Amino acid sequence: MRVLRSLRSLVLFPLLLTLLSCQRAPVPHDGPVVLVTFDSLRADVVGGLGGQPGLMPNLEALVREADWAGRGISASSWGVPAMASIFTGLQPWGHQALHAGSARLSPDLLTLPEALAAQGYETAGYFTGHWYSDKFGYAQGFATFQPLSRGRRAAEHLSTLNGKRQFVWVHIPEPQAPYLRRDEFMKRLGPGAPARLPRRITPAQLEPYFDPATPLPAGRRRRFWAMYRLNAAWADERLGKLIEALRASGQWERTLLVVTANHGEELGEKGQILAGGNLGRQLLEVPLVVKLPAGFERPVQAPRNERPGVVRLWATLVEAAGGSTPPAVAPSLFREAPPGVLSELYLTNGTNQFSWVEGDSQLLLESRFAPAERDYYRARQAAGRPRLASRLSERPEAIFDRLGGAFRATPPLSGAGEPRVWLERWNEAGSAPASDPRRAAEMARRLREAWDRSCPEEHTPDGEAREWEPSGAGDILASRPEKGPAPGP
């Protein structure tokens, strides 16, 4: 996108207007910044945010202690676009890390560690997973970039923080699958939990229920839900060790700490399972916790009962460090922002999906770029598994290529034909369809306005790729998934 080519220079320039102003600028944070992200942690498992108390005691304690704690909204329901939005402050269409064949962060993008390094921060990242490795551009701006593994090196790093300008990112891979039975946490599940659970549930065992046409039996759903929560309890233990190390450094009071998740996890609420199948509440609503350093002058402006976009963290951390943020980036949490959060999901089974969350209302818009493929979900299961692939009438790659070709040739929001639009209300039970044509029309208009602000011109994906080509980023929209994990949306 043309506007991105000016991001690097805009952020690296000092705030000249502020220096010339007669008003005193806020004093920048001059100490550590720590960002911890979970993978696939939905908000409603966290005590203090509506979840069962005692399941995640370390995160619950942080919720009570933090300067701002509540529920945020992810920019997408799948890791590739969601994490890229955290790292760039841009909506998914703005950064173009959209799906498995377009997962790399372009070198043109100014990542969060690069922006903080420009403010004099020493940077270290501890990643987990294929998609967040150096292969996909996540090492940009990190002086130290290592796999998290068991977390020992990350904890040692946090324990030695010296109060100077240091930025540390830690990505905890749980509670995403595989789900492991962890007997030491069984008591945390509370009454009603299944008495017998398997030792392990793999993504391959969950994948069949990603297909909306495959019902998830109630008993199996209870087992999956219990195993997912055991993974959340283990993720909380890992967070506790990081917090313990940070406190041991003596820099707890001076640290700006943010804890959140890339997205949530669905367990049958909208007819699917895992992440990236739709934009339902369980996939978008994540914990968001901000602990400000002692004496920091700028409060978080978002009301506690609102759900800010997690995409706003880029500007929040950069502004806290004294950096400037360009207009294309989502506003920081230190600034007032109009209500409403846009989320995006691209290249599913013939559709692109968009969500606009405002209060307890959610407007969902589905644009279609191709007819649904009958064997799409079976092809997902068969990718990289020759025995399953042999049962299909054609190779999985042929199905993905056909969808990819239609996707690249179709405007993403407008689609081919009239988009499908519907309204939902979020409630204590989750969410339910709502009938309010006037409200739906108003929210659909605001969704379109939000899209237009982040993307003034709607190109097809092929057209967008051509916009990036002069800066060497034209290859980021390859349609075929790379070898490795099964293709995502």
Side-chain angles (χ1 to χ4, degrees):
M1 187 179 292
R2 290 184 296 272
V3 69
L4 298 180
R5 294 174 194 150
S6 64
L7 290 186
R8 189 177 300 273
S9 60
L10 279 170
V11 176
L12 299 183
F13 269 100
L15 294 171
L16 295 178
L17 293 179
T18 301
L19 294 176
L20 295 174
S21 171
C22 61
Q23 297 181 355
R24 184 177 69 85
V27 177
H29 174 49
D30 202 35
V33 173
V34 176
L35 171 64
V36 179
T37 53
F38 291 100
D39 206 303
S40 308
L41 179 62
R42 46 195 275 174
D44 65 358
V45 300
V46 181
L49 301 180
Q52 175 188 321
L55 180 68
M56 303 186 73
N58 293 299
L59 185 52
E60 290 171 36
L62 187 60
V63 165
R64 293 190 295 269
E65 183 178 352
D67 295 271
W68 195 97
R71 300 171 176 226
I73 300 296
S74 174
S76 189
S77 62
W78 191 56
V80 163
M83 187 66 80
S85 287
I86 293 174
F87 262 61
T88 65
L90 300 169
Q91 289 294 134
W93 191 256
H95 57 61
Q96 286 291 296
L98 302 178
H99 51 79
S102 171
R104 180 170 61 84
L105 294 177
S106 168
D108 276 6
L109 297 167
L110 184 70
T111 65
L112 178 60
E114 286 181 301
L116 290 174
Q119 298 301 315
Y121 271 75
E122 175 188 322
T123 58
Y126 298 90
F127 72 94
T128 307
H130 174 78
W131 300 114
Y132 310 138
S133 66
D134 53 352
K135 178 180 179 180
F136 291 98
Y138 279 87
Q140 291 176 210
F142 282 116
T144 299
F145 191 69
Q146 299 176 325
L148 177 63
S149 300
R150 296 189 178 186
R152 181 183 304 171
R153 287 176 296 188
E156 288 177 353
H157 189 112
L158 290 172
S159 70
T160 60
L161 294 182
N162 55 23
K164 296 181 180 179
R165 292 196 155 208
Q166 295 165 288
F167 170 60
V168 181
W169 169 55
V170 180
H171 183 61
I172 296 174
E174 292 86 14
Q176 75 167 336
Y179 305 149
L180 304 181
R181 191 184 75 205
R182 304 180 189 275
D183 293 339
E184 65 270 34
F185 303 130
M186 288 291 288
K187 291 183 179 179
R188 295 190 189 180
L189 296 181
R196 299 181 62 182
L197 293 171
R199 291 188 177 276
R200 180 185 180 94
I201 295 176
T202 67
Q205 291 172 293
L206 298 167
E207 178 70 28
Y209 303 103
F210 189 82
D211 183 352
T214 303
L216 177 60
R220 189 157 296 184
R221 197 268 179 189
R222 285 193 295 271
R223 289 194 293 274
F224 291 169
W225 177 236
M227 295 286 282
Y228 171 79
R229 287 186 292 147
L230 289 176
N231 259 24
W234 170 242
D236 184 73
E237 288 294 296
R238 301 189 75 169
L239 174 67
K241 288 181 171 61
L242 298 176
I243 290 175
E244 182 182 353
L246 181 54
R247 290 186 186 275
S249 72
Q251 301 303 319
W252 177 261
E253 295 295 330
R254 296 201 68 239
T255 298
L256 196 170
L257 171 65
V258 174
V259 178
T260 190
N262 53 1
H263 53 74
E265 184 93 321
E266 182 180 354
L267 287 152
E269 290 86 357
K270 296 296 180 185
Q272 293 185 280
I273 203 167
L274 297 169
N278 57 71
L279 293 178
R281 179 180 186 177
Q282 292 76 16
L283 286 166
L284 294 184
E285 193 176 44
V286 297
L288 178 57
V289 182
V290 180
K291 185 198 79 66
L292 298 173
F296 192 70
E297 297 180 345
R298 302 183 69 179
V300 173
Q301 295 294 331
R304 292 282 184 126
N305 61 346
E306 288 190 5
R307 300 176 178 89
V310 177
V311 67
R312 297 173 65 182
L313 288 178
W314 190 98
T316 301
L317 300 184
V318 172
E319 284 188 5
S324 59
T325 55
V329 168
S332 81
L333 294 171
F334 303 130
R335 300 178 184 273
E336 293 185 357
V341 181
L342 176 65
S343 303
E344 306 165 31
L345 179 64
Y346 295 95
L347 192 49
T348 61
N349 189 12
T351 67
N352 299 316
Q353 300 179 38
F354 304 85
S355 163
W356 181 254
V357 175
E358 193 173 305
D360 289 329
S361 297
Q362 181 184 26
L363 188 285
L364 291 146
L365 185 152
E366 183 180 87
S367 68
R368 183 160 290 282
F369 58 82
E373 291 280 350
R374 182 188 61 182
D375 289 332
Y376 171 76
Y377 294 102
R378 294 177 63 198
R380 279 180 54 100
Q381 296 175 50
R385 303 166 72 183
R387 186 173 179 179
L388 289 180
S390 66
R391 301 174 186 175
L392 296 175
S393 60
E394 58 183 330
R395 295 178 302 109
E397 292 79 9
I399 295 172
F400 300 141
D401 285 349
R402 194 157 53 242
L403 287 171
F407 169 74
R408 294 195 308 271
T410 309
L413 182 62
S414 301
E418 190 69 21
R420 176 180 171 232
V421 177
W422 70 100
L423 185 67
E424 296 205 351
R425 300 282 189 195
W426 290 6
N427 52 42
E428 291 184 0
S431 63
S435 179
D436 189 339
R438 181 175 178 180
R439 176 73 166 156
E442 291 173 352
M443 292 183 66
R445 175 178 56 80
R446 285 195 281 273
L447 185 156
R448 181 77 210 203
E449 290 172 349
W451 166 274
D452 289 341
R453 285 195 299 271
S454 65
C455 178
E457 296 180 68
E458 184 184 9
H459 299 290
T460 66
D462 272 348
E464 190 70 24
R466 286 191 290 272
E467 290 291 322
W468 286 64
E469 282 174 359
S471 58
D475 62 337
I476 66 173
L477 285 175
S479 64
R480 183 172 295 185
E482 303 203 20
K483 292 182 179 179

